[in-house]
Amino acid sequence: MEKLIIKKFVLGIMSTNCYLIENNNHSILIDPGDKAELLINYLTQNNLQLTAILLTHGHFDHIGAIDELVEKYNCPVYIHQDDYEMIYNDQLNLSNYYGELKIKSKVTAVDKNIDIGDFHFEFLHLPGHTIGSCFIILKNYHVIFSGDVLFKNGIGRFDFPTSSSTDTRNSIKKIKEIKDDYEIYPGHGELTTLIQEKLNNPYLQ
């Protein structure tokens, strides 16, 4: 199996992690929340074509660069179906607190799994932070993009519109049931692993 190349960008006022997955001169972005010009410059300098954009959830700091990237690359954008409405609603995506964000791009709502090139992505629905928040999992590579569901030694807030403390508790149970170890690429903060979080994260005890 070809080694996966993942580059991390920290973007915007919320210091949100955006990840670029590279494979055979094609690339997929996870949660491009801001600084589209920076991302485009990197792609151009490295002769990469943007194949798709995947979103762990619909908050503004994870979606802010979509329009400029889609205009440049005409690539599809995917989000779990339960967060679809957030893309176009500035109160639900919280952009109304920080300035106008009006997404115009077409976004595709997905349920569970999608295939992009050689990649098989699983959207594991873990509501709580938002109604449609997800792990995006690459099982073959033992990689999870956890968005704001799970951080190193923490979890995402559940006091926003569409958040739920009950859903969060149920999602934590699902996370604890995941077998094997995975590298965790969270929406904010440092990288970690699932085993480390099961051992050290107080919310997973």
Side-chain angles (χ1 to χ4, degrees):
M1 182 171 58
E2 187 174 334
K3 181 175 173 58
L4 196 64
I5 299 173
I6 302 176
K7 181 171 176 60
K8 172 183 169 181
F9 300 88
V10 182
L11 306 174
I13 60 173
M14 306 301 291
S15 297
T16 303
N17 294 337
C18 167
Y19 299 103
L20 177 67
I21 307 169
E22 298 180 32
N23 182 25
N24 294 329
N25 292 329
H26 288 275
S27 55
I28 296 167
L29 280 170
I30 311 289
D31 290 352
D34 202 354
K35 305 292 185 184
E37 183 178 348
L38 182 155
L39 298 171
I40 291 169
N41 286 342
Y42 181 88
L43 291 163
T44 300
Q45 291 168 8
N46 291 275
N47 297 314
L48 297 170
Q49 289 297 315
L50 186 57
T51 306
I53 295 170
L54 278 58
L55 306 172
T56 60
H57 65 292
H59 280 153
F60 79 97
D61 59 315
H62 294 255
I63 68 174
I66 286 174
D67 278 349
E68 292 174 74
L69 291 164
V70 170
E71 182 178 355
K72 172 74 174 178
Y73 296 102
N74 192 31
C75 59
V77 182
Y78 301 96
I79 194 169
H80 188 273
Q81 59 190 8
D82 289 353
D83 264 11
Y84 177 82
E85 182 183 356
M86 291 180 67
I87 295 291
Y88 305 105
N89 185 319
D90 63 356
Q91 292 186 328
L92 294 181
N93 66 37
L94 308 181
S95 63
N96 59 317
Y97 292 105
Y98 297 95
E100 186 175 4
L101 175 65
K102 298 295 183 183
I103 299 294
K104 301 174 183 177
S105 302
K106 176 186 175 183
V107 175
T108 300
V110 298
D111 182 10
K112 290 184 178 179
N113 305 317
I114 57 170
D115 293 313
I116 302 173
D118 296 330
F119 292 122
H120 179 71
F121 292 96
E122 177 185 350
F123 279 71
L124 178 62
H125 188 209
L126 295 168
H129 181 66
T130 67
I131 194 171
S133 52
C134 288
F135 277 2
I136 299 177
I137 304 175
L138 276 169
K139 282 191 174 179
N140 287 349
Y141 295 90
H142 286 264
V143 165
I144 291 174
F145 299 96
S146 63
D148 289 2
V149 174
L150 181 68
F151 306 127
K152 184 175 182 179
N153 298 326
I155 60 171
R157 290 171 56 176
F158 43 84
D159 58 344
F160 296 126
T162 85
S163 295
S164 165
S165 59
T166 300
D167 285 347
T168 294
R169 285 192 292 270
N170 291 332
S171 291
I172 287 171
K173 291 178 184 177
K174 289 183 183 178
I175 293 169
K176 291 166 72 173
E177 292 170 357
I178 296 175
K179 307 297 183 185
D180 301 326
D181 194 17
Y182 286 82
E183 291 182 313
I184 303 291
Y185 292 79
H188 303 270
E190 300 176 26
L191 278 58
T192 183
T193 68
L194 187 56
I195 284 179
Q196 287 300 312
E197 294 315 298
K198 287 180 177 180
L199 289 173
N200 300 318
N201 191 320
Y203 297 96
L204 267 61
Q205 304 307 308

